[in-house]
């Protein structure tokens, strides 16, 4: 593939041309002369100078930053992603149902779907065109999987849940397990049947071992183009808007509503029944106990320190309120900037 | 189902009667005239006024808060849970062993148990009456599953572990994997064989992808009516008392003993070798490094703030102890309320 | 087994001898006369006095702390681990491929490997001597598993990944799922194909439901003797050095490089693109946003407190910076120890 081939498929402007065809993508640090790399962030300019890449994808503002053959585009990182997709090997799965799979006779399976070894498909499921159900996947009754979606391996989708088109669901994911709902009756727990579903839109990706609980009465809903990383937990009746992205190990308690284009870092914990507005950014490890109503970046978390320092500082945290009171006693007339009024 | 049918099964007092039979449950906000809803918390009174539900479950103190047909009970939420159970569809699993399952000839399987596709049952297992082993479940040797328990799909129970009666174990759960035990010998790690078991009482529920490690020498033990949400981690040799409930993403390190009726929020981390007393409540995201010896609610965690504020405040956290020292220097005679004596 | 048998296999000095052969190991608190226990930490001396164990493993400094038959060694805990290994039952898995397994004809399987029920082995995989692939395990194409490694049950290894010798990989582990890489293009996410692999060295252990993502372009790499507990998440392109140990529920974001002999507690969150130096110790619940360049122990996390206290103290945390400013205004000439210069 030459630069001229790439721009004919993906657009952009080629400056110069590679002498030998490109065979793949690489990082600036390690790319070889038959690989193409990219510069998205000017702070990696030094790596650009030293790169062994045969060509580079670069923004207009960096157009003259290299003499290498290059493609000039508005968004080098997104362009690089599309180039990498062109070069990435596509797993070719033969259409059809593997003889070891157990498929209900009442399920509707597209002739172009690929059902792997030891898959179980329940009653009245609908499996769209070019869907891939990887080995060991289990679908309960009445599950709908939209066309071109791939469930990688050992995914479980409980009865009644729906996944849209072009989803990528990684191994170990559990969609539609019961939400955590119990009523206390004189000390013992009475289970509240979880009769809602999980409904997932188009173009979503769900990382390995992530869990998304079914709704208690109404549904748990993910919009379109929602990306969840590994080991994320989504509680019952959550709703997550289009284009929202959630990094690994984050937990979202039940009935929390998350807007569109929200970016949630790793290991965030969000309590239940909150609203997080469109375009909010929650940084890694944030602990969210109140709704977020204004776009912008929010954080929490105690920063790392040497253990000895932490012991001393953490001890003071236990009476920070008293310390503030003392300060007010000493300086009653000095307005503390932090005072609410 | 009419109100008179419900009270004949579940008790309570009917006030009025629905004109058409009820077909299910719903939330106050979305219930239809053939659904029954509930009011547990007076702060949702406004929803009660607007509800489209055909009937409502309500406490004696709210008896006159609506003119709708209603059932008056002490605990509307628990009553609602039982009504929902009556209406919830029961998955009917045919008794017997699916022909694709691989069951050891030395296992004892009740004739009323249902063993699904691709299940593996090891040597000398004992599977009680009306047990359901969902697709892809793997039981090691010598596992005991009490009657009426359901392992939903792809559950793994390692050799020797026991689960009591009426358990609900969700997909992806791993019970009895090795605890994390290694001795350091001149820089290299020597594995300590984990020879204890996991023993789980009756009426427990374990959420999707939760892990409960086997004991190192003695057993890891869950009592009766213990409820664990998704992605909880229970370390080796923990003991969890009856009626204790643990929300999602919480990790409990090894050898920690948790009492009865403890309520543990989501994303809590509890270090090892602690005791948490009966009736303690640990709120979401709490970080527990010392034993809790008195009932009551405990918390920790830095609250969320705009990222700019967090940067400034977090910087001060690094020398909070020094700040307290300065304050003492200025005001040596003012007793700081936070001082230990 | 007598003490003389143990020291002939494992070294150490026997003082006295048991009257009846030992049958296993036990804790000081519960061991019986045919079990051997150990004292590693002098603070458990009291348990030593009361133990019912038939013999004890003890350090030279505690040599005379008991009159029991004993083995005196430098490192009682590591010695105990090896004794426990001698007594631990070894699961005996018959060599060969179970008739229900689905193995590609192009895979190379050692004649001494044991492939269990419902295992899937992809094209061109290489499975070493005495490897055990437990029930329901799925290997993509081109996977290499080194000799004597055991994948317990329902492990998924994606295409191209490699695991060294003598690994223990617990149930539910997912190795080689796609890293979390998306480029934003006018609000929508474009997937960056994840074409690196996961390469794991020798003697590693990976706990239940842990996930290790494949590299974006280059590989994610674990060295030798790396031990990961349950529900750990390792992001794409991380590198973890030899003898490093990571406790449960810890998340490591992408491209972070962790040195050798690092000890990471449970529920730690480490952001991406950091370096953690050799011999660093990160205590439980630590939140790591900057590289650690000096060995030693580091901590963070707000300690647990009664909920009422937390409400008041947490409120002050929101304007800690303002509080520090006020203090400076009052006492401009007092040097705050925490000041950077």
């Amino acid at each position: 593939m030459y630069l001229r081939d790439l721009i004919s498929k993906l657009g952009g402007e080629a400056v110069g041309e590679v002498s030998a065809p490109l065979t793949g993508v690489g990082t600036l640090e390690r790319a070889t002369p038959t690989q193409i790399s990219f510069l998205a962030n000017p702070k990696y300019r030094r790596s650009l100078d030293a790169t062994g890449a045969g060509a580079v994808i670069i923004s207009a503002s960096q157009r003259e930053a290299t003499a290498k053959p290059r493609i000039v585009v508005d968004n080098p990182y997104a362009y690089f992603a599309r180039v990498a997709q062109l070069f990435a090997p596509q797993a070719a799965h033969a259409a059809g149902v593997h003889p070891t799979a157990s498929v209900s006779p009442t399920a509707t399976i597209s002739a172009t779907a690929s059902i792997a070894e030891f898959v179980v498909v329940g009653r009245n499921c609908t499996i769209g065109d070019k869907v891939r159900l990887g080995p060991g996947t289990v679908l309960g009754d009445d599950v709908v999987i939209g066309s071109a979606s791939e469930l990688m391996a050992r995914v479980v989708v409980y009865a009644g849940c729906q996944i849209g088109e072009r989803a990528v669901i990684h191994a170990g994911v559990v969609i539609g397990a019961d939400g955590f709902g119990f009523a206390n009756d004189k000390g013992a727990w009475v289970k509240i049947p979880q009769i809602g579903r999980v409904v997932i839109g188009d173009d979503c990706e769900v990382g390995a071992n992530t869990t998304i609980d079914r709704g208690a009465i109404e549904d748990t809903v993910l919009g379109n183009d929602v990306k969840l990383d590994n080991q994320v937990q989504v509680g019952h009746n959550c709703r997550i808007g289009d284009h929202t992205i959630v990094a690994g190990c984050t937990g979202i308690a039940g009935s929390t509503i998350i807007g569109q284009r929200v970016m949630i870092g790793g290991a965030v914990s969000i309590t239940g029944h909150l609203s997080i507005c469109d375009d909010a950014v929650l940084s890694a490890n944030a602990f969210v106990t109140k709704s977020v109503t204004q776009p912008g970046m929010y954080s929490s978390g105690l920063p790392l320190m040497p253990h000895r320092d932490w012991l001393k500082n953490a001890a003071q945290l236990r009476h920070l309120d008293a310390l503030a009171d003392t300060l007010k006693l000493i300086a009653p007339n000095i307005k503390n900037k932090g005072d609410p009024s």
Side-chain angles (χ1 to χ4, degrees), chain A:
Chain A
M1 197 121 37
Y2 289 88
L3 296 191
R4 62 177 172 267
D5 302 319
L6 292 175
I7 65 171
S8 82
K9 287 173 194 285
L10 303 173
E13 177 199 356
V15 179
E17 181 57 274
V18 290
S19 52
L22 294 165
T23 59
V25 298
T27 58
L28 284 175
E29 290 75 11
R30 304 210 187 175
T32 64
T34 65
Q35 292 178 328
I36 185 166
S37 190
F38 72 103
L39 180 76
N41 187 332
K43 83 174 177 184
Y44 296 114
R45 266 289 304 262
R46 196 165 293 185
S47 298
L48 178 66
D49 296 340
T51 190
V56 178
I57 302 160
I58 209 161
S59 66
S61 67
Q62 300 291 315
R63 179 189 189 94
E64 303 306 330
T66 181
K68 297 246 176 196
R70 53 204 182 274
I71 295 177
V72 179
V73 292
D74 286 346
N75 186 338
Y77 194 41
Y79 194 94
F80 172 79
R82 293 196 171 94
V83 170
Q85 288 176 2
L86 288 179
F87 283 114
Q90 291 298 318
H93 301 298
V97 176
H98 193 275
T100 61
S102 176
V103 175
S104 165
T106 62
T108 303
I109 315 275
S110 162
T112 59
S114 166
I115 314 294
E117 299 90 336
F118 314 123
V119 166
V120 177
V121 177
R123 287 175 284 246
N124 303 317
C125 287
T126 303
I127 309 300
D129 294 341
K130 299 192 177 171
V131 164
R132 164 70 176 176
L133 301 182
T137 290
V138 176
L139 308 186
D141 296 341
D142 304 303
V143 166
V144 177
I145 309 288
S147 63
S149 286
E150 182 164 14
L151 284 60
M152 303 301 286
R154 291 208 294 96
V155 172
V156 175
V157 185
Y158 279 57
C161 297
Q162 302 192 351
I163 297 174
E165 303 189 348
R166 294 173 301 280
V168 177
I169 312 290
H170 280 285
V173 167
V174 178
I175 293 172
D178 286 351
F180 200 57
F182 301 91
N184 197 290
D185 191 22
K186 296 170 191 156
W189 296 105
V190 183
K191 183 176 175 75
I192 297 162
Q194 304 289 300
I195 59 177
R197 303 169 300 163
V198 176
V199 177
I200 298 179
D202 295 333
D203 298 300
C204 292
E205 182 154 344
V206 180
N209 284 351
T210 279
T211 52
I212 305 172
D213 279 348
R214 68 191 311 113
I217 297 178
E218 288 141 20
D219 296 332
T220 302
V221 179
L222 272 65
N224 298 317
D225 196 29
V226 172
K227 311 295 188 186
L228 307 182
D229 196 359
N230 296 358
Q231 298 193 43
V232 170
Q233 151 69 1
V234 179
H236 54 182
N237 297 102
C238 286
R239 291 173 170 258
I240 302 183
D242 297 350
H243 311 299
T244 283
I245 195 160
V246 182
C249 305
T250 282
I252 306 170
S255 300
T256 281
I257 310 299
I258 295 177
Q260 298 191 359
R261 297 172 304 279
V262 174
M263 298 179 69
I264 302 181
V268 169
S269 45
I270 307 180
T271 59
H273 297 273
L274 304 184
S275 292
I276 309 296
C277 71
D278 292 350
D279 300 299
V281 177
L282 305 176
S283 65
N285 206 49
F287 170 40
V288 186
T289 58
K290 294 184 178 170
S291 291
V292 172
T293 59
Q294 297 296 324
M297 186 168 181
Y298 296 84
S299 303
S300 67
L302 200 69
L304 195 73
M305 46 190 105
H307 184 69
R308 272 167 181 279
D309 295 352
W310 175 75
L311 284 175
K312 287 187 294 184
N313 289 320
Q316 296 296 343
L317 283 167
R318 292 183 193 272
H319 37 92
L320 186 55
D321 186 54
L323 189 152
D325 282 354
T326 302
L327 190 58
K328 264 189 198 140
L329 215 57
I330 300 170
N333 298 322
I334 296 178
K335 185 80 190 153
N336 186 323
K337 283 189 304 180
D339 282 353
S341 63

